[in-house]
Amino acid sequence: MTAGISAPGRARIAERTLRTDRWWLSPLLTTLGLATFVVYATIRAFSGVSYWVNDYHYLSPFFSPCVSTSCAPGSTHFGAWFGDLPGWIPMGFLALPFLLGFRLTCYYYRKAYYRSVWQSPTACAVAEPHARYSGETKFPLILQNVHRYFFYVAGVVSLINTYDAIVAFHSPEGGFGFGLGNVILLGNVIMLWAYTLSCHSCRHIAGGRLKHFSAHPVRYRLWTWVSKLNVRHMQLAWTTLGTLVLTDLYVMLVASGAISDLRFV
Ligand code: FES
């Protein structure tokens, strides 16, 4: 082997690592966290049940936009563009692949799953199990560069989720009303926007490729705002996984009749 820890010039150390702290804890927790979300989201997306509360117009984000005749009556906020779907196609099939692509290619998630799942590298000063390393210079990882395009689609999906959250201010008698479900839906949308706008691609779109910020005061102002969010990108990445699960879970519990929505108005 001539690469990695066996490359010429690297110290010859027989042990995988000389670290004595619990360096494995962080990658383990990351793997468990990501796996929990993936399993939950996959089960829910393919379940096709309890995603719409007709009384209050709550729609789970995993099923939005719902655009087929298979969708529950009332949940097709943008119309039914497709006929009945076979059971193996999730109701949210239009947005889910793009959202998955957006998160998979996200700079933070890349770091998280490269270190935890792929173990490249597992941790600082811990030899990785792979004999060769080509980074993101070759297929398939070079495809991570499409992240900037997923960003635009994620913006559109955030707009759709915002519309869903607004439509949900509904009372069964007609007119305005809101309950705990609205607070959860709105909180989720706010966090989704914060995550989306804190994206590294967004920061580059706002202020990248400029030679003189002083000549572009508006873009400079946008860049400073995005930069403030950008330093919290990791926290927002995890928080939004939590708010997505919480929102879907709450809608599922109310839609299935397991709990009643706590109404304020
Ligand atoms: Fe994480 Fe773009 S870098 S969403």
Side-chain angles (χ1 to χ4, degrees), residues 16 30 54 74 84 101 123 150 152 164 177 205 228 233 256 258:
R16 189 178 174 206
T30 304
N54 198 43
D84 282 357
F150 282 127
Y152 294 111
D164 294 341
I205 291 164
K228 281 185 188 144
H233 195 57
S256 64

Side-chain angles (χ1 to χ4, degrees), residues 102 105-109 147 151 195-196 198-202 233:
F102 185 51
T105 58
C106 162
Y107 290 26
Y108 167 67
Y109 286 113
H147 182 68
F151 165 75
Y195 169 69
T196 306
S198 70
C199 168
H200 292 68
S201 294
C202 178
H233 195 57

Side-chain angles (χ1 to χ4, degrees), residues 58 168-169 177-184 250 261-265:
Y58 295 158
F169 285 96
F178 79 95
L180 181 57
N182 294 94
V183 176
I184 292 174
Y250 189 82
D261 186 32
L262 178 63
R263 300 302 290 174
F264 304 126
V265 177

Side-chain angles (χ1 to χ4, degrees), residues 236-258:
L236 290 166
W238 282 106
T239 305
T240 46
L241 292 190
T243 59
L244 280 166
V245 168
L246 176 69
T247 308
D248 175 75
L249 191 61
Y250 189 82
V251 171
M252 179 178 74
L253 291 174
V254 176
S256 64

Side-chain angles (χ1 to χ4, degrees), residues 1-16 18:
M1 292 196 298
T2 56
I5 58 165
S6 301
R10 297 290 296 270
R12 294 283 174 264
I13 298 172
E15 289 83 3
R16 189 178 174 206
L18 298 177

Side-chain angles (χ1 to χ4, degrees), residues 10-251:
R10 297 290 296 270
R12 294 283 174 264
I13 298 172
E15 289 83 3
R16 189 178 174 206
T17 182
L18 298 177
R19 285 179 66 167
T20 54
D21 62 332
R22 293 191 295 168
W23 56 266
W24 44 267
L25 189 59
S26 175
L28 177 67
L29 291 177
T30 304
T31 305
L32 289 176
L34 293 177
T36 303
F37 178 81
V38 169
V39 169
Y40 178 88
T42 306
I43 291 173
R44 278 297 290 149
F46 284 93
S47 71
V49 294
S50 304
Y51 57 90
W52 168 249
V53 181
N54 198 43
D55 276 354
Y56 311 126
H57 292 187
Y58 295 158
L59 177 62
S60 161
F62 291 148
F63 295 81
S64 177
C66 215
V67 287
S68 75
T69 51
S70 300
C71 298
S75 65
T76 51
H77 294 159
F78 302 93
W81 308 343
F82 302 93
D84 282 357
L85 298 177
W88 50 271
I89 298 184
M91 306 282 190
F93 74 97
L94 208 55
L96 287 178
F98 295 102
L99 291 179
L100 184 68
F102 185 51
R103 299 242 172 192
L104 263 183
T105 58
C106 162
Y107 290 26
Y108 167 67
Y109 286 113
R110 272 144 80 173
K111 173 187 152 186
Y113 66 74
Y114 284 171
R115 289 188 181 181
S116 59
V117 180
W118 189 238
Q119 300 199 19
S120 177
T122 314
C124 291
V126 178
E128 59 186 90
H130 307 282
R132 287 187 305 171
Y133 175 78
S134 60
E136 295 177 338
T137 59
K138 293 204 170 94
F139 182 83
L141 292 185
I142 198 166
L143 294 180
Q144 302 277 30
N145 284 304
V146 298
H147 182 68
R148 68 200 73 170
Y149 304 111
F150 282 127
F151 165 75
Y152 294 111
V153 184
V156 173
V157 176
S158 292
L159 280 174
I160 291 170
N161 290 151
T162 306
Y163 182 81
D164 294 341
I166 293 170
V167 165
F169 285 96
H170 174 87
S171 100
E173 291 79 40
F176 176 80
F178 79 95
L180 181 57
N182 294 94
V183 176
I184 292 174
L185 255 72
L186 204 57
N188 178 52
V189 160
I190 291 169
M191 296 317 293
L192 286 180
W193 273 117
Y195 169 69
T196 306
L197 294 176
S198 70
C199 168
H200 292 68
S201 294
C202 178
R203 186 166 176 263
H204 183 76
I205 291 164
R209 288 181 169 269
L210 294 182
K211 282 200 171 65
H212 306 288
F213 274 139
S214 57
H216 302 273
V218 174
R219 288 189 64 187
Y220 175 65
R221 180 62 57 199
L222 291 173
W223 179 82
T224 52
W225 288 339
V226 173
S227 295
K228 281 185 188 144
L229 278 177
N230 182 256
V231 293
R232 301 262 175 266
H233 195 57
M234 178 184 82
Q235 290 87 339
L236 290 166
W238 282 106
T239 305
T240 46
L241 292 190
T243 59
L244 280 166
V245 168
L246 176 69
T247 308
D248 175 75
L249 191 61
Y250 189 82
V251 171

